[in-house]
Amino acid sequence: IVQRKKPIIQDEIQQVTKIVEEIVPIQRVVEKQVQIPQVQIVDEILEVPVQKQVQVPMVTKVQKTVEIPQVEFVEQDVHIPVQKHRHVPMVTVAQKMVDVPQVEFVDKIVEVPVQKQVQVPMVTKQQKIVEVPQVEIVEKIVEVPVQKQVQVPMITKVQKTVEIP
């Protein structure tokens, strides 16, 4: 069951302007995100065999005739004089181990306090008796004549003629 409200009937009629909505196409620039496929470049390092040319020396054997001189031994008698044997005293040098005391110097840095002399003024306190005079205030009423200046207004009378119609 649908319940509707009772229509209201008015005695006065009012004119109302009618508003018509019209849809007009308008071009607009709209930002839109679009997925663009990305190209991915994959570098692949391939090992290429390098051919190296090396010159290898060739060894050839050549026969050569070499003359070798022959050594000839010639024997000759040589007269050697007779040697006399004498005893010569021989001086020998012997090494002897001796303990020599070593003096070791050990450097040690020792801080020596530096005494600074500062002159400090000496303060002494002395008592000094000072007499302070006491001032006594005595009130006395003294009449002093006061001169007053009063401004008195000056009145000037002026006559004017006025015509009454």
Side-chain angles (χ1 to χ4, degrees):
I1 298 173
V2 175
Q3 287 185 349
R4 295 199 175 147
K5 291 187 178 178
K6 188 175 177 184
I8 300 172
I9 299 172
Q10 294 182 346
D11 292 339
E12 292 181 16
I13 298 173
Q14 293 180 351
Q15 285 200 351
V16 179
T17 56
K18 183 177 176 186
I19 300 174
V20 178
E21 287 187 20
E22 186 178 343
I23 299 174
V24 178
I26 298 175
Q27 287 189 349
R28 285 193 312 182
V29 176
V30 179
E31 285 189 23
K32 184 175 174 186
Q33 290 192 358
V34 180
Q35 295 287 334
I36 298 174
Q38 295 287 326
V39 176
Q40 183 179 9
I41 298 173
V42 177
D43 288 343
E44 187 176 338
I45 298 173
L46 293 175
E47 300 228 0
V48 178
V50 180
Q51 291 186 354
K52 220 173 177 184
Q53 290 187 357
V54 180
Q55 290 187 357
V56 178
M58 195 171 130
V59 179
T60 57
K61 291 183 179 179
V62 178
Q63 286 189 352
K64 193 174 177 184
T65 310
V66 179
E67 290 185 15
I68 301 172
Q70 294 293 321
V71 179
E72 185 180 336
F73 292 102
V74 178
E75 291 185 9
Q76 190 177 10
D77 289 336
V78 177
H79 180 69
I80 299 173
V82 179
Q83 292 184 356
K84 287 187 179 177
H85 290 284
R86 290 213 174 147
H87 288 287
V88 178
M90 193 173 155
V91 178
T92 59
V93 178
Q95 289 187 349
K96 187 177 180 184
M97 298 294 279
V98 178
D99 286 335
V100 178
Q102 294 286 327
V103 177
E104 183 180 344
F105 290 101
V106 177
D107 290 341
K108 186 175 180 183
I109 299 173
V110 177
E111 291 199 21
V112 178
V114 178
Q115 291 186 353
K116 235 178 169 180
Q117 289 190 356
V118 180
Q119 292 194 2
V120 179
M122 196 169 106
V123 179
T124 58
K125 290 184 178 180
Q126 290 184 349
Q127 284 190 349
K128 190 173 177 185
I129 298 173
V130 178
E131 288 186 18
V132 178
Q134 293 292 326
V135 177
E136 185 177 334
I137 299 174
V138 176
E139 289 188 7
K140 190 173 179 187
I141 298 174
V142 177
E143 289 188 20
V144 178
V146 178
Q147 292 184 356
K148 272 189 170 179
Q149 289 186 357
V150 179
Q151 289 189 357
V152 178
M154 197 170 138
I155 300 173
T156 57
K157 289 186 178 180
V158 178
Q159 285 188 352
K160 256 185 173 177
T161 329
V162 179
E163 289 183 11
I164 300 176

